[in-house]
Amino acid sequence: MGVASAADGREEYVVTAPGNGIRKRLEREGIEVRGETAGGDVFLVAAESRSAVADVGGVRTVEPNEGYRPVGPAVRESAASTDDELADLQWDKTEETTGAFAAHEEATGEGSTVAIIDTGIDTSHPDLRTRAGRGGLFRADGETSPSGDPFVPGDTTIEAKLPQGLADGSAEELDPYVYRGAPTTREQAAADDVQSHGSHCAGIATGKNDGTTGIAGMAPDADVVPLRVFYWTKVTGYVHERDDGTEEELTVTTLFTTDFDILSAIDYAAELGADAANMSLGGDVIRGSAHKSGEHVAYQTVVQRAVQQGTVVTASAGNAESNLQQGGYYTLPNSVPGAVSVSATGPTNELAFYSNYGTSDVDVGAPGGGYETLEKSLSEDTEYPYPTNLVLSTVPAELNEGTEYDWYAGTSMAAPQVAGLVALVREVNPDLNAKQVQQIIERTARFSNGSSSPDIGAGIIYAPDAVAEAARKGGK
């Protein structure tokens, strides 16, 4: 959704420039360095033009700091439930799918950490072991921070913007996550959820399994760290199509993030030693020649550095129903080497109707909710009638009219299943490096011949076998 700009109107750019001394050379040319990540190999700068940055010696790539807004789950339905025990509704954790419940007899993720790069995580939800103090808010424009710092520690109390529609119900919703009117504010921890998506992903990966409250995550005893990259903000120039087909430009409130926010969060997850960093987010389907773009180079630089430091990076494959196998198509950030790209499946272990696919892109499949078609997903005449064929997980009650659990479907729901499995594997064998963890998860996946399936790559993850193999490698 456009390009992020500095307050004085200059454009923001993401620069890759491996090597020493680049920052000083940029500053000598009058280019403001607003942030850096990946050990000084990736920078955020503000400049008058792209060429001014590209002409600096040592600069490898220069790309606009693209801005994004989410479009939400493929399907969503409120459960309006505060029941004490909801595990019976979790088809995604049964023996027929991931086997998570069975795996909990051997591993629960104790001692492991999962970072969720998303909209934040509800810091007060009874079913989440949220470590806000280890997390943070990544916002390159520094608007939330009095000092202008693009990073705010997760447990810092801030004035967070919310859409007017969530605050008092008075704003008109134009598209998912887009409202007319200026944002309202509330005081909250910087890493607390400002929407619901991040909390839902956190529950899938790490929801507690104490037998009394709510749902159970894949790794119920793992810590979950909120790395918030989405924030409600006022955006001008949003193009709205009227009912008569004409267009108007509006000032709206929307969830927003940028490439540099996401890149910074990935690198931070590795720095804090997270076993897994989950990204249930991504951009549009891109034509193959863009593999050589600076944006791709920046993501590859940061993701591969995180993997080298021991963090498994899991990412959703996308909900565009697109074939990423032919024509060189791909999506970011899941398509870069080093990231575990996850497609979505339903209760029948078939590819969900909305999921992207392709052997060149998808590494594994995992339950994301819904059936093979939208019609079947919405039907009440199936083994799991709508909405129970979606994935049930945690959401902030304060932002959902008192509801603590909701049904969502999307590849966003599939990726944290894998992140949680990383936590189980690391519990039984903490000495495995990130690549070894990924290999175990792929080797023990089911319902695919090797890694050749365009729908589910190496197969649908299966927790009991992954935990058992990891234990064998550790001599347990």
Side-chain angles (χ1 to χ4, degrees), residues 65 138-141 229 231 257-265:
N65 187 27
F138 301 82
R139 184 165 180 172
D141 63 14
V229 296
Y231 36 87
T257 190
T258 70
D259 279 327
F260 193 77
D261 297 324
I262 300 168
L263 292 166
S264 299

Side-chain angles (χ1 to χ4, degrees), residues 7-153:
D8 59 8
R10 291 176 298 167
E11 297 294 335
E12 287 186 348
Y13 298 96
V14 175
V15 176
T16 62
N20 297 323
I22 301 298
R23 184 184 187 113
K24 290 182 179 179
R25 287 201 289 272
L26 289 165
E27 291 173 338
R28 277 200 302 267
E29 296 299 324
I31 295 165
E32 180 189 358
V33 178
R34 312 195 70 188
E36 66 177 77
T37 191
D41 287 346
V42 179
F43 296 88
L44 175 69
V45 305
E48 297 294 340
S49 68
R50 183 173 181 170
S51 60
V53 184
D55 289 342
V56 176
V59 168
R60 181 182 179 188
T61 65
V62 183
E63 292 290 343
N65 187 27
E66 297 285 353
Y68 304 94
R69 69 174 183 86
V71 295
V75 184
R76 174 180 178 178
E77 173 64 26
S78 173
S81 175
T82 55
D83 292 348
D84 286 339
E85 185 52 65
L86 300 173
D88 289 345
L89 299 173
Q90 292 187 268
W91 59 266
D92 58 304
K93 302 296 194 295
T94 64
E95 174 64 24
E96 288 72 25
T97 55
T98 64
F101 291 144
H104 292 165
E105 296 178 9
E106 304 297 332
T108 58
E110 186 174 1
S112 300
T113 300
V114 176
I116 302 292
I117 300 171
D118 215 291
T119 63
I121 300 175
D122 183 4
T123 57
S124 61
H125 200 289
D127 226 359
L128 296 174
R129 191 175 285 101
T130 307
R131 298 292 184 253
R134 300 187 67 196
L137 165 62
F138 301 82
R139 184 165 180 172
D141 63 14
E143 182 178 324
T144 309
S145 172
S147 66
D149 193 319
F151 173 78
V152 183

Side-chain angles (χ1 to χ4, degrees), residues 41 55 62 144 197 257 288 332 342 366-367 379 402 410 413 419 427 431 438:
D41 287 346
D55 289 342
V62 183
T144 309
H197 190 271
T257 190
L332 287 175
V342 188
S379 172
M413 287 60 256
E427 178 193 352
D431 296 329
Q438 179 178 350

